[in-house]
Amino acid sequence: LEGRIVFADQTVASGATVRLRGPSGARETTCDVRGAFRFEALPPGAVELVASLPGFETTLPNVLALEGSSGLI
């Protein structure tokens, strides 16, 4: 599963923390300078994503259903 975190004005959220909770447990990663993040080798099932960045409001959990071998959000 991979994606990018951007603000409404399309400014990237480099350094944002992305937390994932799902069937295989919890994982965490940090966005790169393009605001991109990636979680590899996720099993099918529902996952919850939460992004946070100091000085900004934390997003509400986003729940996604993973069905294939890869996903892009």
Side-chain angles (χ1 to χ4, degrees):
L1 173 71
E2 59 187 79
R4 284 182 72 213
I5 306 294
V6 296
F7 297 105
D9 66 0
Q10 298 303 304
T11 304
V12 298
S14 62
T17 299
V18 181
R19 293 177 182 88
L20 177 142
R21 250 187 1 203
S24 63
R27 300 186 194 183
E28 184 176 296
T29 192
T30 302
C31 292
D32 66 16
V33 296
R34 299 178 303 114
F37 67 90
R38 181 182 188 112
F39 293 100
E40 296 186 12
L42 296 174
V47 295
E48 179 183 278
L49 286 177
V50 176
S52 62
L53 185 64
F56 293 90
E57 185 175 335
T58 299
T59 62
L60 295 175
N62 292 302
V63 178
L64 307 168
L66 301 179
E67 296 179 9
S69 60
S70 65
L72 176 64
I73 61 169

